[in-house]
Amino acid sequence: MTTLICDCNQTLPLDSKTLARNLADPISSHTSLCRREVGDYLKAVQGGGEVLVACTQEQRLFGELAVQSQAKASVIKFVNLRETGGWSREGHLAAPKMAALLAAAHLPDPDPVPTVTYTSAGRLLIIGPLDQAEAVAALLADSLDVTLFSQGPGHAGGAQARRFPVLAGRVVKLDGWLGHFELTWSPNNPIDLDLCTRCNACVEACPEQAIGLDYQIDMSRCDAQRLCVKACGAVGAIQFDRAPQEETAGFDLVLDLREHSAFMRHATPQGYFRGATPENLLRLRDGVGEFEKPKFFVYQHKLCAHSRNEQVGCQACVDICSAEAIRSDKTRQQIEVNPHLCVGCGACTTVCPTGALTYAYPKAHEQGRKLHTLLSTYRQAGGVDPVVLLHSQDVGQQRIEELGRAAQLRVAQGIPAHVIPVPVWHTASLGLDVWLSALGHGAAQVLVLATGEEAPQYIDGLQAQMNQLQALLEGLGYVAPGHALVQWVRASQVTELDAELQRLTMGANRLKAVIPVATFEVTAGKRSTLELALAHLLDHAPALRRSDAPRELPLPSDGALWGSVNVNAGACTLCMSCVSACPAGALQDNPEAPQLRFVEKNCVQCGLCVKTCPENALELVPRLLLTRERQQVRVLNETQPYGCVRCGKPFGTLKAVEAMLSRLSGHAMFQGPARERLKMCGDCRVIDIYSSDDEHKLL
């Protein structure tokens, strides 16, 4: 790959030797690559290989030049060194970070994934006051097929010319997505706007002035003189005895002008817009055709801990989804994800304890490879104690760039030289497994930028994972209580971001890397990555080297990924309902003896066993067991087998049969010989029934 670095007006403190030493491919520096030296760029893109341009300011221009010149380069990439590295009060120390950013940009693009398709024919529904809706519709009618849903007259009243179909009434439900919206409403007014000619005869005739220029009747003011009906005459648009019936209609796009959204969820569907802002109007005009987005998730039903035996256990993904794209399907014992509603935040994959939901674009191991490349290159270039700053590639990226420009103007400190910004689709898409991997590969700290765009449940879900990690690191002796290696940077404004970065990463608050550098990689499976990271932590844990090393670490119950199960031996009948419900193979039976066995390493604390147990004999215990027993099979409960009173063959457990006999002791159908049959195996029970003279038999 050929790397072209453009340092306009020589504002970047470039250390060409450090950069070249840490990148195998050639590097050339320029001061006006998009102007006087554009020939060097064209020569590079005509070379046929991959090209990396360290300038995002003129990315659009470089793209147009590549098209015009019929570039032969297989890939053209862009990376920002200016705002993220050089434009800072510590820019002269940022050479290791620049080398790391360039190395990460050399990585291949994420693997392609299946896509989700939207098809829109341009059927637009505008909901709101009639005069406002008509004014907006006039701006869009040349490219969209507009229908209005009147929700009041507004201030000036509607236009007299009826240019668009008009619906009115009470909105019952609006659901769907781009190309597939469905409106359900109930016409609750005597005037049919589809028949109304807007002659205003009814408005003039109404003595109570109960009819406005939205041509709807205020029934609280109407005294039933029905003069409006007479004035309407043969048109017949007014009927007071019309029975209200729900109606439905389909649309491709929706523009909502009302004060309150039709959707209570944080993330509204694709194709739904609120307010007639210039940006929304432009996006609506472009909303005709066929569109694609990545299918951001992969779901593996066999790993899912959501439901078994018609009992719901884990529903972390359902609770955290801000788009309401995930629902529980109890009949199929699984969740169902609507890919058209999914916005790709990845929060569901972060809180999923088993890895049944994984982030597909980019995949976890691709993110892990990027972090490993950033951190290893940073160390090789002479940097120490790096901090990873995870931020969204939308609002978060804007704040990062704003901070860099402010630092260049000497009105802000800028991003410290040891802080490496890492853009992700959404900060909620990375959780405990990737954070641990970053710390294991040399990061002194991981910061997660919250700009205010996040759904509240995202903050809660990630905070629960941060609490889990903090309990783990404190218990293993890596950090003192209160010293968090993973924490939030809460900043909705650039001044807040500048102040928070200085407070968290500079001076006395600058942390040193406390975890030895690991060799493991982030894998495709969440649990396997966690186990690799955990093994590395345990191998080097300071607390385990002491004579009073703990045997286990208690963990917070919210978001727990590890733990045990306590069994009330007096209540447990060893019915094994919990074994059939366990999705992770943590609870097991013994085919040779009546035993309930347990492998703590496999337990994901989903709670399905607790909810399935008919005796309420189980209790979850969030913890991390630090002994070898964690990986071994241990017996939680056992009892004597119960032998058939007729043939002696074991067919159940002593406790189960005794519990059954106790519960049926007062039942009229299980007295005398019938009660004795409860003590027999299935074969002997049938033989006894057919050999008994007391039983009535069908011939």
Side-chain angles (χ1 to χ4, degrees), residues 164-175:
F164 312 102
V166 181
L167 308 174
R170 179 178 64 88
V171 175
V172 176
K173 183 175 67 172
L174 176 64
D175 207 356

Side-chain angles (χ1 to χ4, degrees), residues 28 82 170 180 188 201 221 295 310 334 360 416 487 621:
S28 59
R82 199 169 64 179
R170 179 178 64 88
H180 199 271
N188 59 355
R221 299 170 63 183
K295 185 180 178 183
E310 299 185 357
Q334 63 183 43
Q487 58 181 306
V621 183

Side-chain angles (χ1 to χ4, degrees), residues 421-438:
V422 180
V424 294
W425 182 269
H426 200 290
T427 52
S429 64
L430 301 182
L432 184 60
D433 53 336
V434 179
W435 299 339
L436 267 177
S437 300

Side-chain angles (χ1 to χ4, degrees), residues 560-578:
L561 297 175
W562 300 286
S564 183
V565 176
N566 279 349
V567 179
N568 182 339
C572 175
T573 62
L574 281 94
C575 67
M576 301 302 173
S577 297
C578 56

Side-chain angles (χ1 to χ4, degrees), residues 474-477 538 540-554 624-627:
E474 287 182 10
L476 293 177
L538 295 177
H540 301 88
L544 300 185
R545 299 173 188 169
R546 302 194 303 258
S547 58
D548 59 343
R551 182 178 181 276
E552 64 180 70
L553 299 179
L624 179 65
L625 189 62
L626 302 177
T627 64

Side-chain angles (χ1 to χ4, degrees), residues 16 47 60 147 163 202 259 309 318 357 392-393 421 467 481 518 666:
S16 299
R60 179 177 178 180
T147 298
R163 297 178 56 190
C202 61
E259 181 179 356
N309 302 334
V318 179
L357 275 170
S392 70
Q393 60 186 29
N467 295 341

Side-chain angles (χ1 to χ4, degrees), residues 83-230:
E83 285 86 356
T84 58
W87 282 3
S88 167
R89 294 289 175 89
E90 289 196 332
H92 61 288
L93 303 174
K97 176 165 64 173
M98 292 185 186
L101 293 172
L102 288 171
H106 279 68
L107 292 172
D109 291 332
D111 294 333
V113 296
T115 58
V116 179
T117 303
Y118 299 88
T119 302
S120 169
R123 300 171 300 159
L124 170 64
L125 173 68
I126 303 179
I127 308 175
L130 188 58
D131 60 333
Q132 297 179 32
E134 287 182 329
V136 174
L139 301 175
L140 300 171
D142 61 325
S143 58
L144 299 172
D145 179 12
V146 182
T147 298
L148 309 181
F149 194 96
S150 175
Q151 292 280 277
H155 300 291
Q160 292 298 298
R162 191 175 66 167
R163 297 178 56 190
F164 312 102
V166 181
L167 308 174
R170 179 178 64 88
V171 175
V172 176
K173 183 175 67 172
L174 176 64
D175 207 356
W177 52 86
L178 174 63
H180 199 271
F181 285 104
E182 185 175 88
L183 173 71
T184 303
W185 78 98
S186 175
N188 59 355
N189 209 277
I191 300 180
D192 186 336
L193 291 182
D194 200 36
L195 296 176
C196 177
T197 62
R198 301 188 184 185
C199 67
N200 294 337
C202 61
V203 178
E204 184 178 0
C206 180
E208 299 86 16
Q209 297 182 337
I211 305 177
L213 290 181
D214 60 345
Y215 307 103
Q216 298 287 278
I217 301 176
D218 183 350
M219 299 303 295
S220 66
R221 299 170 63 183
C222 177
D223 66 359
Q225 295 186 43
R226 304 299 189 255
L227 296 180
C228 57
V229 178
K230 183 177 180 180

